[in-house]
Amino acid sequence: MNPSPRLIAVSGVLIALLLLATLVLMLWNDRSSRVQAAQRQSMALVTGSDRLLRAELSTMERALRGAARDGREFYRQVPEQAPLLLAASLRGTLERNADLRSITLVDDAGRPLSAGRGDPALAQWAQPQNRVLAGELYVGKVERDVAGDSLLLAVPVQSGQWLLARLRLLVFQRVVSGLDTGSMGVVSIASRRGELLAHSLDPMAVQRPLPRPISQVPVLERARAWGVAASPLDGVRRIGAVDAPRDYPLILFAGLSYDEVMAPWYRYLYVAIGIYLLYLGGFAYLFSSVRRGTIRQQRLAQEVRAGAAELALAYQVGKVGTWSLDAAGRVLAWSALTRRMLALPARHAALEDFYAWVHVEDRAELREQVRQTLESGQPLNALFRLTLRDGSLRWLSARGERVHGLEAGPRIAGAITDISERVRSEARVQQAEHQFRLVFDRNPAPFWIFDMETLCFLEVNRAAIEQYGYSRAEFLAMTLLDIRPAEGGEEIRRMLDDAGAGRPSAAHLYRRRDGRTFEVVGHLALLEFNGRPACLMLAENVSQRLAYERDLAWRASHHPGTGLLTVEALAERLDGGRGGYTIIHVQLRGLQMVTDTLGREAGEEVLQAMVARLAALGLQYGLLAYQPAEDFVLAVTGVHDPQRVLDVVRETVAAPVRGRDTLHQLEPRIGVASCPLDGELSDQVLGRAAQAAHAARENGVVVLRFDQTLAQRHADRLQLVGRIHMAIERDEFELHFQPIRHAADGSVAMLEALLRWRQVDGSFIPPSDFIQLCEDTGQIIALGRWVIRAAARAARVLADNGWETLPVAVNVSAVQLFNSDLVDEFRSAAAACGLPAGALQMELTESSLMRNPVQAMQVLENLHANGITVALDDFGTGFSSMSYLQHLPLDLLKIDRAFVADVERNPRNAAICRALLSLGHSMGLAVIAEGVETRGQYDWLVAHGCDHVQGWLLGRPLPLDELLPVLAGPYPRD
């Protein structure tokens, strides 16, 4: 007996798998041993290089720290000679350290303070993450130079000063040179910026950028195996190790060539492959010989079975079975497939029993056809329903003929097919057509079907007939062009192409029978209708929606009250156009005041009159936009002369504007900027023209063109705003106090609290530089609250030192007066420090009261009712109404220093001071003279009855701890 091919195959495969597993295990163990040994050697190389690198960095740090220490001592002991001494010290450091190319003293911005070059990017890399060995040495970027590449180092000297050194990259090359790495192994050093500092295999590689940044290596606590990786420089695969220490910002990499390490292993691999291939060849020859004999034996049996299987498959797939009726017409028999197909109980049954299973509506017809076939030999072709045992119905198609066989008499034989699925499909198609007809004809939206070639209507629904006014017969005699008056066949072809590509259709004009037109969006679907390519279209009337959308679009880009463009819409149009343009930004002070004073209708009349003037200029010279409530923006486009247009604008806005019963003179402030000189984008140019207009208002000029100094001034103001906010949070402000003395005997009457902002270097930012900025940004409220509380704490210290009755006066701005609860702030601050009523006083300027006299009256009355003394500062400079001031609940008047200057020699100043003293005393108020700096001024004021005096002659502003000894000392008379 010949062995079975399957047995031979199984045995051969098992042996092949066992041999393969043995060879793979041997090769894998050998490879792992070699890779692990190489990995350990790479780790040793990285660890050794790390120690050498730390020694080099420590040397550089000690040298630079010593130079920095010498510099600090020079600046502390002999600041005048410090630069020369430090330069000599740096030259000595360079002589002792040949690896240092240069050392330069720079400031925080990297600008050189001594001979040599600085680095503007110093502040970006002199950060804690770039510090070396937790010391004071910071590592920067690599600097390329024709004299040689170097690495930037920095060491702080003192506040605002650094030593910037350039270290030769040869230092790092010494670290990686002379190591045992084989012919293709490598040791390299890189910065975390991805800059290569040293490379043992290719020293010139440091001059080329890395194809892939090394900076992606995370900070490591110790050296880590890197595994097998391809080098980004030369593509060589190496077994490497990497170290990215936390205490200095450099990365070390060491790797041995994978090919060199694995060269002996490849010889073992080739031998193993040869052994395995020899075995497979022998096994294949044996198996093929056995299998050829077995195949020849099976081929004949397979051909016999294939014929029978194909016949059975054909009957099964087509659901066709066979049947026969005996010559007597009594017994009906069928095949096994027919029995399974129809779930019949047996292989034969009486003909009458079979008729009982046939649907009652089909039974008589089937009986008659069978009879005719038996009697006349007419072929049987019947379609009927059969009720199965589970109660379900099957549609069957039976065909048969009378045949003669071995039996006595002819019999009927034929085939039966289950067509139930086909009948149900036809029924679903008919149902779908019926439903489509209902949906199509009774849909409230207009639908029609038209021929894609001739564009003739093939079918329309009732809604289309009612909406367009044509009868169905008229529609079917027309084409789509008859109801689209503004288009031809090409436009419709493009619409059909868009529908085929799935693109949305645009709106088009359609016409009714009475000639009226409206906008329609067509929703199309391609189909086949009566065997021709056609298109089904839903015609959506979008006239109202599009009109609404156009109105919304207009409202989104225009100011509703003036009909002019918004500034945002103007910016979009300018960015969408081409060529340069000039922006004229016009601020008209007084428009809002007209509305506030005379009412909304009067303000609207003045506004519309100005709109009419400027709109004509917009039509003539470019585009005009309105920015509520007082700004107009004119974009001068085309070939118009901007200077000529600017002159026309000035004349236009300078002319008085007539209202219904009044004539108004508006105050224009105009800012000018142009594209591309002042910016490429419209937002930049518009913003800079607005900046120029604001600056014109601040400087008191009518027209101001934008320039970079203006931009820098605004940038400085924004930066100062941020610093003010941080200064309030960090409590960087402080109060100095200036005594106000009784004029008669020189004793201290009160103290005025003056705000000071000390900087890191000990200097002060003048209040004039930040007080107005605080008022403009609203930060004066928070700053004023801090001043009130600090003054209350100072009053508490005065009381504890024996000055219980010495009040402290606080200056209050107009913003605080009208936008905060001053009464509650003064009361809360006094209560928190345990102060009696009258310990805190308030000073405010005459001009701040006149911003809103009615509200000012209410606030001052409330303050007075709570025992808070109020002094009117800078009296005589606010041009206020004397009849109004006499009703204000004031306690003190302060004569401005401008009137006190030279009062003993200047008759005009003397006359003004006498008048102000007389006015204050007539109103029952005490009078304080500010700015008393000479003995002559003081004597004149005493002689003319001034109550209190304040000035540098009588005491300068001092911090409280320095002022207390002055208060206890003698009165300064000279």
Side-chain angles (χ1 to χ4, degrees), residues 632-648:
F632 292 86
V633 181
L634 175 63
V636 181
T637 60
V639 296
H640 303 291
D641 180 11
Q643 182 59 48
R644 181 177 177 277
V645 177
L646 178 61
D647 295 339
V648 174

Side-chain angles (χ1 to χ4, degrees), residues 921-967:
H921 290 153
S922 67
M923 296 170 62
L925 305 177
V927 180
I928 303 172
E930 293 183 297
V932 180
E933 299 180 356
T934 65
R935 185 68 188 181
Q937 295 171 359
Y938 176 74
D939 292 339
W940 189 96
L941 292 168
V942 172
H944 288 79
C946 186
D947 301 292
H948 304 94
V949 287
Q950 176 185 5
W952 282 17
L953 176 68
L954 310 164
R956 293 172 178 261
L958 295 172
L960 187 60
D961 56 349
E962 298 179 17
L963 182 64
L964 287 173
V966 175
L967 295 178

Side-chain angles (χ1 to χ4, degrees), residues 453-469:
E453 294 182 2
T454 64
L455 303 181
C456 292
F457 288 102
L458 303 176
E459 189 59 79
V460 294
N461 71 345
R462 188 179 307 168
I465 294 172
E466 293 174 354
Q467 187 170 119
Y468 286 80

